[in-house]
Amino acid sequence: WNPEYRQIYKSAFEGASVQNTHVIDQTQNGYGSTFHFPDTSMLPTEAPALRQEAEANELEYTGFNHVGGPKPKRLDAQETKEELLNVLQEGFPSPPLQAAIFNALAELPGIAVIGDVTDGTGREGAAIVARVERGVQWQTIFDPESGEFLGSRGILVDAATSGGLAGIPAGTLIDERDFLGSGVVDSI
């Protein structure tokens, strides 16, 4: 982040740890992070252990918010699925952790996978239905061969319950985010 920005908005950077001269990470007991620098290195790479820690809302990672929030509470199957998808999408998981995430998801009831989908850039993949909320089906798209995260999208499934999308036909793509790449850089 721009050092001048840090000087102008000092209160926003209180408690931030400097990763190098340009990148910082700020967390507050692992929650409410202002700057995202995901660290998933402490997560188990065995599917049963990963799923159990997710269900217990005890996954140890920093850099993005837990689905279950900062207070210990047991997650239901839907919340557990969202927590695991959160790590898959935002945590830049290692190949062993990525495999554990997919295997842990397979252990959960009600997992829906849609094969033969295409993201906004034309890449073919499969989609896990993350949730259906207010008439929109949210999907996480990945390459089924490599497990690579490709993106996410929202598809209207019920305009009547969507709150503001009445008149738009079911099946309409209303939100799409394609993930093109990631890397470590020394400036924004």
Side-chain angles (χ1 to χ4, degrees):
W1 296 91
N2 184 333
E4 289 178 27
Y5 187 84
R6 282 188 258 172
Q7 292 300 319
I8 295 168
Y9 302 102
K10 288 181 182 181
S11 64
F13 290 87
E14 264 182 47
S17 64
V18 176
Q19 302 298 316
N20 65 37
T21 58
H22 301 290
V23 178
I24 66 162
D25 181 33
Q26 180 184 44
T27 60
Q28 299 159 1
N29 298 326
Y31 301 95
S33 177
T34 304
F35 305 101
H36 300 284
F37 190 80
D39 178 8
T40 57
S41 62
M42 301 295 290
L43 297 181
T45 55
E46 300 80 31
L50 182 66
R51 180 187 49 76
Q52 289 168 0
E53 283 190 22
E55 288 173 340
N57 199 21
E58 294 176 348
L59 290 182
E60 290 186 39
Y61 59 74
T62 60
F64 48 93
N65 296 328
H66 287 270
V67 169
K71 295 180 182 173
K73 84 165 197 160
R74 188 149 185 84
L75 303 182
D76 64 22
Q78 177 62 32
E79 291 169 323
T80 300
K81 176 174 59 170
E82 289 181 31
E83 183 80 332
L84 293 169
L85 289 172
N86 188 30
V87 175
L88 179 68
Q89 294 177 52
E90 297 185 36
F92 308 107
S94 65
L97 178 56
Q98 198 173 50
I101 291 168
F102 285 116
N103 289 330
L105 286 166
E107 293 177 358
L108 294 171
I111 292 295
V113 178
I114 303 167
D116 301 324
V117 300
T118 305
D119 75 358
T121 66
R123 297 176 294 182
E124 294 184 10
I128 296 173
V129 176
R131 68 188 183 284
V132 177
E133 185 176 71
R134 298 185 65 200
V136 178
Q137 181 185 79
W138 295 98
Q139 302 175 354
T140 299
I141 305 168
F142 63 95
D143 180 324
E145 301 270 330
S146 68
E148 177 187 9
F149 171 64
L150 301 178
S152 60
R153 66 183 178 188
I155 298 175
L156 185 64
V157 293
D158 184 5
T161 61
S162 66
L165 298 176
I168 298 175
T172 300
L173 179 68
I174 61 163
D175 184 277
E176 181 163 23
R177 297 157 197 229
D178 298 311
F179 185 78
L180 302 176
S182 66
V184 177
V185 296
D186 65 358
S187 70
I188 56 171

